[in-house]
Amino acid sequence: MEGVVESREWYLAAYSTHGVPTSDHLKLRTVPLSLAFDSIPDGHVAVETLFLSVDPYLRTRLTGTLDGLYIQQYQLNQVITAFAVGRVMQSKDSKYTEGDFILIPSAPVAEYSIVPSSQILRKIDATSGISLPDYLSSLGVPGFAAWVGIVVLRDPKPGSNVFISAASGAVGMSAGQLAKIRGCRVIGSTGSDEKVFLHFLFKKRPFIVI
């Protein structure tokens, strides 16, 4: 059928009540999806997923436990969702056109999807010189959380000591970078020697990590 693609998607097959989710809990399937203009509802866009952010909070949505959560659990057999950068393939919303790069806070973890345009956070200027993955990291939720912690709440002065726990995580790495830029002496902690190695391998401004 014209305009139909085979889209791979990750869905929740069983709740993971303890430990790390495995292939028993998260499974991959392939489904046919029409990207033809006439098959898209009004106010929706067809999206090709380019980048996804796999954030720690997603783990809490896989347990089947609601106690103390601020966000709903995934339903069994439901495609999981995550922050994503995508490219518009077709659009039935005048604000978006084919080829637009967009940021979606709750995008299906799938190669292609049809999403309501109301779920799109913003368009991305691809000519800005900012790489698309940066909108999910330093300019995304991890970077925002780090900015709030370092700049808004603590406001450390040059020469002061700053300790970063979970320094190899997305928020910890960004927080340490912000403190280094401010002229602080930064010390971080991680859970393994491997995480220490990765920190020094990828960061432009590495700080002391133990």
Side-chain angles (χ1 to χ4, degrees):
M1 186 182 301
E2 185 177 355
V4 174
V5 297
E6 295 292 310
S7 178
R8 291 177 296 176
E9 60 185 26
W10 286 96
Y11 70 98
L12 182 64
Y15 287 116
S16 173
T17 55
H18 301 287
V20 178
T22 69
S23 56
D24 292 331
H25 308 106
L26 294 172
K27 294 184 180 296
L28 186 66
R29 64 189 175 196
T30 300
V31 297
L33 181 68
S34 176
L35 302 181
F37 182 80
D38 291 341
S39 66
I40 301 173
D42 290 339
H44 287 64
V45 298
V47 178
E48 177 188 14
T49 303
L50 301 179
F51 299 98
L52 288 161
S53 180
V54 182
D55 297 310
Y57 82 90
L58 295 175
R59 174 68 183 90
T60 66
R61 302 189 66 186
L62 305 174
T63 64
T65 303
L66 298 176
D67 291 346
L69 291 183
Y70 62 92
I71 193 167
Q72 290 183 341
Q73 292 285 294
Y74 293 122
Q75 299 301 307
L76 293 179
N77 207 43
Q78 175 189 355
V79 179
I80 62 174
T81 58
F83 260 86
V85 171
R87 177 167 47 219
V88 175
M89 308 293 290
Q90 296 273 14
S91 174
K92 277 199 173 177
D93 186 317
S94 59
K95 295 191 294 293
Y96 303 98
T97 59
E98 182 180 349
D100 283 346
F101 294 99
I102 54 176
L103 183 62
I104 311 171
S106 188
V109 180
E111 291 180 296
Y112 300 92
S113 59
I114 308 296
V115 300
S117 57
S118 60
Q119 292 185 4
I120 299 173
L121 182 62
R122 57 171 292 190
K123 283 198 283 189
I124 294 173
D125 180 6
T127 66
S128 65
I130 300 172
S131 69
L132 294 178
D134 282 343
Y135 287 93
L136 298 176
S137 56
S138 56
L139 297 180
V141 172
F144 178 72
W147 177 80
V148 169
I150 296 296
V151 178
V152 177
L153 297 180
R154 301 308 304 166
D155 190 25
K157 301 300 184 283
S160 59
N161 295 321
V162 175
F163 176 76
I164 306 291
S165 61
S168 64
V171 176
M173 286 193 290
S174 294
Q177 298 292 292
L178 289 172
K180 286 282 286 187
I181 290 171
R182 288 176 153 238
C184 300
R185 180 176 182 266
V186 183
I187 300 174
S189 65
T190 69
S192 69
D193 291 340
E194 181 184 17
K195 292 179 180 180
V196 174
F197 172 76
L198 293 174
H199 165 79
F200 281 95
L201 182 65
F202 290 111
K203 302 316 293 180
K204 293 181 179 178
R205 295 184 179 87
F207 47 89
I208 301 171
V209 179
I210 56 176

